[in-house]
Amino acid sequence: PAFACWSVGLQRAQMVDSLTDSRLTPPRRSVASLAVRVAAVSSFLFGYSICVLVSCGELLSVIFEWCGNDGQSDCFWGRAFQGLVNAALYLGAAAGSLMVGMPKISSLGSRFHLIFSDALFVLGAATGTSAQGFVSLFLSRLISGAGLGISAIAAPLYMAEVSPREHRGLNSAKHGVFIALGILAAIVIGIPQSPPP
């Protein structure tokens, strides 16, 4: 009788566990998965910003005539300005990532950080689109870099925060995947814009 009672109790516990497991399994399509997809946009912009000037950077010297004429792209000033424009992104990224570590800003949460970083990406893109020379192009890359530095920390953190435990690893891996897709998109879009040989 004691064994039978224990067996019945075990069966009931297993039934309750199976019912609880089926009710607690998070759905694949939920508000959390939508939030992860939106956060992945920041990861995509991270990768895109890093490589957007790789294939078409020399074209900047031609467009802005940094070498003194409209057909030349390889001169001292052209290389110097290209290097500074590229370096501005990384300087901005360092400033953005340091800014996220400040206690007052850190307390605002990763959701606010993502919104702010995306706003910086948009502002940097608008400034770069209307750039008339080196200074405005440098500032646009600096602003985009600040967004890049913030999103490098905030995007994977936000993805992990909003993800259910069962999908946290998959959703956190999307950060790296979307960085790679951003790099690919920047290179593919930039190939036709390369200067002629």
Side-chain angles (χ1 to χ4, degrees):
F3 178 74
C5 184
W6 179 79
S7 176
V8 169
L10 182 63
Q11 288 174 349
R12 284 185 184 162
Q14 288 174 346
M15 287 175 48
V16 169
D17 284 344
S18 68
L19 288 174
T20 304
D21 286 344
S22 66
R23 279 187 256 149
L24 292 180
T25 303
R28 281 285 221 200
R29 301 191 190 278
S30 64
V31 174
S33 64
L34 179 63
V36 168
R37 283 189 221 122
V38 170
V41 171
S42 290
S43 301
F44 178 84
L45 291 173
F46 178 104
Y48 186 83
S49 293
I50 287 175
C51 285
V52 73
L53 291 181
V54 167
S55 57
C56 60
E58 293 178 7
L59 192 59
L60 293 174
S61 294
V62 174
I63 291 173
F64 292 115
E65 297 182 5
W66 289 337
C67 293
N69 59 21
D70 60 349
Q72 188 178 1
S73 66
D74 190 27
C75 67
F76 173 76
W77 289 112
R79 286 184 303 231
F81 286 154
Q82 286 174 28
L84 288 171
V85 166
N86 275 331
L89 182 77
Y90 301 109
L91 290 171
S97 60
L98 287 173
M99 192 170 37
V100 171
M102 298 172 122
K104 285 185 180 180
I105 296 174
S106 180
S107 66
L108 297 173
S110 58
R111 180 176 165 202
F112 173 79
H113 295 157
L114 275 179
I115 293 168
F116 186 61
S117 73
D118 288 345
L120 288 175
F121 278 128
V122 170
L123 181 62
T127 307
T129 302
S130 62
Q132 296 297 316
F134 169 74
V135 174
S136 54
L137 196 58
F138 182 84
L139 287 175
S140 75
R141 294 287 283 174
L142 197 65
I143 293 168
S144 293
L148 181 120
I150 293 169
S151 72
I153 295 171
L157 182 63
Y158 183 74
M159 288 177 182
E161 284 177 352
V162 300
S163 297
R165 181 181 47 174
E166 293 82 4
H167 300 175
R168 193 166 293 147
L170 174 70
N171 288 340
S172 295
K174 288 180 183 176
H175 176 66
V177 170
F178 277 89
I179 288 173
L181 289 174
I183 291 169
L184 177 67
I187 291 173
V188 168
I189 290 170
I191 287 175
Q193 299 174 8
S194 298

